[in-house]
Each structure stands twice: as C-alpha cells, then as structure tokens.
C-alpha cells in the first residue's frame, strides 16, 4: 500500500491523493492510506466507519472546529495520472476535492497543540445519492464524533474564498406517454420520444430564478440530464423518461421545490427520486472565521455537506482551494497558490 507523507509539501500530497483513484464506491484503498497516515499521529484518536476516517484531538479546549473533505471523485475522464503544469496540479479530483483533502491532512499533521480542539473527517460517497454519503452514516451511527463542533469547515472548492450555504437538489423523472405501434404503420401509434420535445422545449424556455438571501444571490437551475426511450428498432416507443436536475435556492424546502416542478409539468407524471434541502448562508454564525480570513462571502451553487451540518445545528461554511466551476470537468486543476494560501490561513487561525 502507498504511504502518505503528511510532512511533505501540500503540492506533493495533492498529487499523491490524485494518483490514488477513488471514484464513489471505490474509496477503500484511499481510506486505508489516509487512516494509516493519521494513526501515526500521537495527538489524534482515529476511528474508521466504512470508508470514512475521523480523527480528533482531545485537549479539553472550550471550543471545537471540524474540518471535512470527501475522498471520492466523479468518474475519470482520461485525466489521470496527476501532473504539475502552469502553477497548478491537474488531474481527476484535483479541484473537487483532493486539494482540499491535502490541506486538511497537512493541518491534521502539523497542529498538535491547536487553540481549539479539532475534528478531521475524510469521508466516502459525497458525489452520489445522499443515503450512501459517509457523513450521513457517521451522523446515524456515531453522531458524537461530529455534533460537538461549534463550526464545520467543508474544504470544497471555493476559489480560496468563503462560499456560504448551499443550494438544494431535486432529481426527478418526467414521464411522457405515447402508444406502441409497428414502425411500418407508425401512424397507428403515438411516439413518446417525439412528444418529449415539448417537455425539453419548456425546460429550454424556462428562466431559472435568482434569489437574494443575506445579500448573496443564489442562481437556481433546472435542466434535463438524461432522456431515455426506445423499445426496439421497429417499435414506436410508448414511453420517454426525461430526468431533470433542479438546483433550488436555500430558502426553499424540498417540498416547495417539488411543488414548483409538479406545477410546471402538471399534465405529466413526475417521479421524484431524491430531494435534499440546501443550507441558508447563516453569515452571523460564520462571521468569526470570515472576518479572520478577510474575505467577502459568495453563494455556493453546488450542494455540499454544509446542509447536513446545518440540519445537525452546527454552523458550517465552504472554504477550499480550486475554482468550483472546474469541478466535474475533464480539465479540472487546483492552483498551487490556493493550496498554500488555504493551508497557511487556516493554520494561523487554528493556531
Ligand atoms: N447527494 C448529492 C451529491 C452532489 C454533490 C455535488 N457537490 C458538488 O459538486 C460541490 C462542488 C461545487 O459545486 O461547489 C453536487 O452539487 O452535485 C446528489 O444528490 O447529487
């Protein structure tokens, strides 16, 4: 098994993490490697839950801060192994979010006597359905490991600035029905794939809302991410499923988001697969760290586990290296300057 040297420079550590592939569901080797490295640090007690690793100090400080990063990545896109070019580390997960994980590991190794107690969480399956998420499992099985923090810092890519709150997600299928027929006598049937064009057009015409909360403008999004139809090459399809992904502002509940989607497609069956709340920015609760970092918070458009911490009553924010708009792209990278800046700023705040 590869060993991680947590005393090494954050750039080398980021590259080592990228070079240990860990698509969602396949994090075991990376989790083993992270666990082994953390167990070598006498000031941390380490627990393993599935393929997630939690490491905590127990110094009796009056306040505890939690720093978390997910170990998984989206599927590879010909972007391995890592490479260092133009002042950035390139490769699968470099931006989302092995750069952030490297910063957190460096902090775990280099702060034996911090001003606050610290909890580090490196977890599995963030990029997939919520019930597979490692933090979901920890919250269900060992809430004591994470619910005593006053603040949680998610090292999600946020351009080395603070992104507050996060938007909710709703995934659903819109079902378009037709009638089967032999394609040689297509006029006897109704082609559901053709009728689906009306749904796609409505989605294309839709102008997503912009919602301002605490001075931050959250941009909603609604679009098709898959279209499925087809019985056989000589059959007029009687069903077409259009899968939509709706990103809704954090002041809407999942129920409200669902009602809005159903209202927009009243004449169709809408099958909701998953609807997860976002998190309000909560700027008053994160002001201490935001002021110390000297940054102006921006809104987080992607869903992150700040929502889970908000539900647990723990104040949380996104602060990590990498441009979030590069997340999930084949060309993702993380600038070396962001890695160094995030590490240094967090270290001086925690020290
Ligand atoms: N359980 C969720 C998981 C999706 C999480 C993912 N988050 C990010 O990509 C954060 C990076 C960013 O945009 O800043 C997402 O928003 O898709 C699910 O249901 O898909």
């Amino acid at each position: 098994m590869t060993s991680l040297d947590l005393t090494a420079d954050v750039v080398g550590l980021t590259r080592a993490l990228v070079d240990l592939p860990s698509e969602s569901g396949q994090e075991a080797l990376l989790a083993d490697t992270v666990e082994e490295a953390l167990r070598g640090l006498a000031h941390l007690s380490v627990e393993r839950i599935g393929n997630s690793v939690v490491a905590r100090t127990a110094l009796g400080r009056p306040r505890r801060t939690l720093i978390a990063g997910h170990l998984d990545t989206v599927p590879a896109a010909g972007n391995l192994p890592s490479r260092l070019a133009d002042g950035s580390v390139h490769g699968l997960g470099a931006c989302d979010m092995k750069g952030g994980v490297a910063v957190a590991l460096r902090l775990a190794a280099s702060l034996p006597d911090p001003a606050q107690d610290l909890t580090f969480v490196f977890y599995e399956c963030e990029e997939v359905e919520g019930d597979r998420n490692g933090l979901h499992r920890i919250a269900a099985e060992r809430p004591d490991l994470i619910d005593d923090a006053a603040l949680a810092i998610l090292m999600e890519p946020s351009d080395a600035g603070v992104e507050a709150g996060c938007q909710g997600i709703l995934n659903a299928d819109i079902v378009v029905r037709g009638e089967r027929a032999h394609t040689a006598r297509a006029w006897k049937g109704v082609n559901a794939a053709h009728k689906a064009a009306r749904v796609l057009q409505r989605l294309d015409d839709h102008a997503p809302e912009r919602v301002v909360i605490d001075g931050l403008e959250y941009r909603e999004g609604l679009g098709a991410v898959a279209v499925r139809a087809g019985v056989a090459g000589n059959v007029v399809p009687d069903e077409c499923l259009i899968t939509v992904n709706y990103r809704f502002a954090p002041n809407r509940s999942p129920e409200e988001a669902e009602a809005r989607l159903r209202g927009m497609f009243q004449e169709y069956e809408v099958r909701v697969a998953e609807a997860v709340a976002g998190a309000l920015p909560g700027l008053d609760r994160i002001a201490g760290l935001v002021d110390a970092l000297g940054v102006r918070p921006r809104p987080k458009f992607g869903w992150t586990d700040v929502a889970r911490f908000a539900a647990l009553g723990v104040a949380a924010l996104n602060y990590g290296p990498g441009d979030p708009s590069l997340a999930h792209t084949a060309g993702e990278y993380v600038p070396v300057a962001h890695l160094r800046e995030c590490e240094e700023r967090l270290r001086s705040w925690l020290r």
Side-chain angles (χ1 to χ4, degrees), residues 9-19 89 94 98-99 102-103 334 339:
D9 184 72
V10 69
V11 177
L13 191 52
T14 302
R15 292 195 62 182
L17 294 172
V18 171
D19 290 335
V89 176
K98 292 192 171 176
V103 170
V334 62
L339 294 170

Side-chain angles (χ1 to χ4, degrees), residues 96 126-128 130 156 169 247 274 300 302-304 324 328:
D96 188 11
E126 189 268 355
E127 299 286 8
V128 288
E156 291 278 0
I169 301 184
R247 302 295 178 140
E274 187 180 27
K300 177 56 111 183
W303 185 90
T304 77
H328 306 187

Side-chain angles (χ1 to χ4, degrees), residues 24 29 57 66 80 86 112 168 185 197 218 248 258 264 300:
S24 307
L29 177 61
T57 62
L66 182 151
L80 283 173
D86 307 322
R185 285 168 289 280
Y218 289 87
F248 55 94
E258 179 174 337
M264 217 177 133
K300 177 56 111 183

